[in-house]
């Protein structure tokens, strides 16, 4: 990669929720750029809007005002179908709980999203096997999630998030369900995958020690991002 490219840009993004008569201004004009190969922590008190920001960046929710760009493409004004296509092609998600398909093997969990993105089964299977080897699960490709440990499940979830070579990975407490040692291993793997693939990653976490090991820490407070 020659130089870092902007993978996520938020410009003056605002979001208000209404609860009864109350207006909750969750995001108040957020400006943010994330670059390829960059790992950024998103921290802030519970209820500060971290998940809301991830949902907006992931095109799962629309802001009330402001602009979202994914890899240079502005998404305002696009139809739902086009937004969905960008989400599938350009964005990988990781959650606190793995959200893998329980009836499918680790391998199939990586093949299915590729086929949804239009790839042929044979190519999808080859790439899935290669990536499962890379994340240390070469011996477990036929296991269903229920037969994998929590750390192994998250390794599959990380692999799934990047299998379609996205521009951006969004993670919400990806190690929140793991013991400290396993959390460390999964975090190291996430770092390796981000640095190796040039994807940009935004990771919401309450774990300040992990946040301190990322390239940047973004603090969400009173609807603003600091840092
Ligand atoms: N669909 C919704 N309708 C109304 N209020 C909402 C909605 N979604 C979130 N909220 C409110 O917006 C605020 C921010 O929520 P959000 O889940 O983004 O916070 P968070 O920083 O991710 O919290 P946590 O660290 O606890 O996961 C909360 O007060 C929440 O109750």
């Amino acid at each position: 990669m020659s130089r870092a490219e902007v993978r996520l840009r938020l410009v003056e993004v605002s979001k208000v929720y209404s609860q009864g008569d109350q207006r909750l201004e969750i995001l108040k004009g957020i400006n943010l750029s994330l670059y390829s190969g960059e790992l950024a922590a998103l921290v802030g008190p519970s209820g500060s809007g971290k998940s809301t920001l991830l949902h907006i960046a992931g095109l799962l929710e629309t802001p009330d005002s402001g602009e979202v760009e994914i890899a240079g493409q502005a998404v305002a004004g696009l139809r739902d179908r086009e937004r969905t296509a960008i989400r599938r092609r350009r964005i990988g998600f990781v959650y606190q709980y793995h959200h893998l398909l329980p009836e499918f093997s680790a391998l199939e969990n990586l093949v299915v999203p590729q086929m949804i993105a239009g790839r042929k089964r044979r190519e999808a299977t080859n790439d899935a096997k290669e990536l499962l080897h890379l994340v240390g699960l070469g011996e477990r490709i036929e296991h269903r999630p229920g037969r994998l440990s929590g750390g192994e499940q998250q390794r599959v979830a990380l692999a799934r998030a990047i299998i379609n070579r996205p521009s951006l990975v969004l993670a919400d407490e990806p190690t929140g369900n793991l013991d400290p040692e396993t959390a460390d291993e999964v975090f190291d793997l996430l770092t390796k995958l981000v640095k190796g693939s040039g994807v940009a990653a935004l990771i919401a976490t309450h774990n300040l020690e992990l946040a301190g090991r990322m390239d940047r820490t973004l603090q969400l407070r009173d609807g603003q991002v600091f840092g």
Side-chain angles (χ1 to χ4, degrees):
M1 213 169 346
S2 49
R3 72 191 168 87
E5 296 160 18
V6 180
R7 295 301 176 87
L8 169 68
R9 205 157 88 93
L10 303 181
V11 184
E12 292 295 325
V13 162
S14 296
K15 185 74 183 176
V16 178
Y17 288 125
S18 302
Q19 268 180 355
D21 299 345
Q22 260 196 328
R23 277 178 94 251
L24 294 173
E25 282 190 73
I26 303 299
L27 305 177
K28 302 177 188 169
I30 303 282
N31 292 297
L32 171 63
S33 293
L34 276 192
Y35 295 85
S36 53
E38 191 171 43
L39 201 64
L42 181 63
V43 302
S46 195
S48 58
K50 301 183 295 297
S51 299
T52 303
L53 194 145
L54 290 183
H55 290 162
I56 288 173
L59 314 185
L60 294 164
E61 275 193 66
T62 40
D64 294 311
S65 59
E67 291 169 25
V68 180
E69 284 177 25
I70 308 294
Q73 182 170 12
V75 298
L78 294 183
R79 295 163 205 241
D80 277 355
R81 201 155 49 90
E82 294 163 321
R83 289 163 62 89
T84 302
I86 294 174
R87 189 186 318 120
R88 284 191 183 143
R89 262 204 313 272
R90 297 277 189 196
I91 307 174
F93 295 90
V94 186
Y95 302 93
Q96 179 169 5
Y97 298 97
H98 56 78
H99 288 243
L100 297 169
L101 302 168
E103 299 301 321
F104 289 91
S105 67
L107 183 66
E108 288 163 331
N109 265 281
L110 266 62
V111 170
V112 169
Q114 294 183 78
M115 292 184 68
I116 290 173
R119 300 197 72 206
K120 297 220 164 46
R121 177 176 283 278
R122 181 195 294 245
E123 292 162 16
T125 303
N126 288 341
D127 283 3
K129 282 182 180 166
E130 197 177 310
L131 188 52
L132 283 168
H133 274 94
L134 184 73
V135 303
L137 293 175
E139 305 298 314
R140 292 183 172 64
I141 62 174
E142 298 299 344
H143 287 215
R144 289 184 185 181
R147 290 183 53 216
L148 297 170
S149 70
E152 289 167 348
Q153 290 167 354
Q154 277 311 62
R155 284 168 182 269
V156 180
L158 294 182
R160 180 188 52 182
I162 66 152
I163 190 74
N164 282 333
R165 302 174 200 274
S167 299
L168 176 68
V169 165
L170 300 169
D172 205 345
E173 288 284 356
T175 62
N177 187 38
L178 304 173
D179 65 70
E181 197 178 316
T182 312
D184 253 16
E185 286 168 16
V186 167
F187 178 72
D188 288 344
L189 176 64
L190 175 59
T191 307
K192 180 173 137 188
L193 294 176
V194 168
K195 300 297 173 189
S197 66
V199 72
L202 182 60
I203 297 147
T205 183
H206 286 283
N207 185 331
L208 296 183
E209 195 269 318
L210 281 191
R213 287 159 55 189
M214 300 191 207
D215 300 316
R216 279 163 82 185
T217 297
L218 304 166
Q219 296 235 9
L220 192 51
R221 205 169 56 238
D222 301 326
Q224 307 275 345
V225 164
F226 300 89

